[in-house]
């Protein structure tokens, strides 16, 4: 899984590559842009990663069971 930073001048930088097991099938950002959710089709889990918006650095938070044959995810904002 690669995170890239896009700049106004059109350049991209890749701060690093994050290895994740379990057969990643989709990636979803939370509405605030602070977390990334990766569905893992092979293991039937969803991995949560914290994302530093300044650097694009990804940090594992947790992995939760999500059932078999997980192929996609969606995030809905909760009213505060």
């Amino acid at each position: 899984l690669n995170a890239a930073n896009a700049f106004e001048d059109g350049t991209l930088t890749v701060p690093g590559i994050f290895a994740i097991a379990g057969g990643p099938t989709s990636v979803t950002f939370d509405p605030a842009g602070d977390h990334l959710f990766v569905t893992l089709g092979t293991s039937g889990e969803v991995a949560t990663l914290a994302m530093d918006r300044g650097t694009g650095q990804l940090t594992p938070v947790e992995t939760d069971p999500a059932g078999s044959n997980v192929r996609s995810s969606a995030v809905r904002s909760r009213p505060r």
Side-chain angles (χ1 to χ4, degrees), residues 2-54:
N2 293 338
N5 294 325
F7 297 96
E8 288 184 20
D9 66 2
T11 60
L12 292 174
T13 62
V14 179
I17 297 173
F18 186 85
I20 192 164
T25 55
S26 73
V27 175
T28 304
F29 287 95
D30 79 72
D34 296 323
H35 291 88
L36 186 70
F37 302 99
V38 182
T39 58
L40 307 172
T42 305
S43 65
E45 299 173 308
V46 175
T48 302
L49 307 166
M51 188 179 81
D52 181 310
R53 288 200 248 168

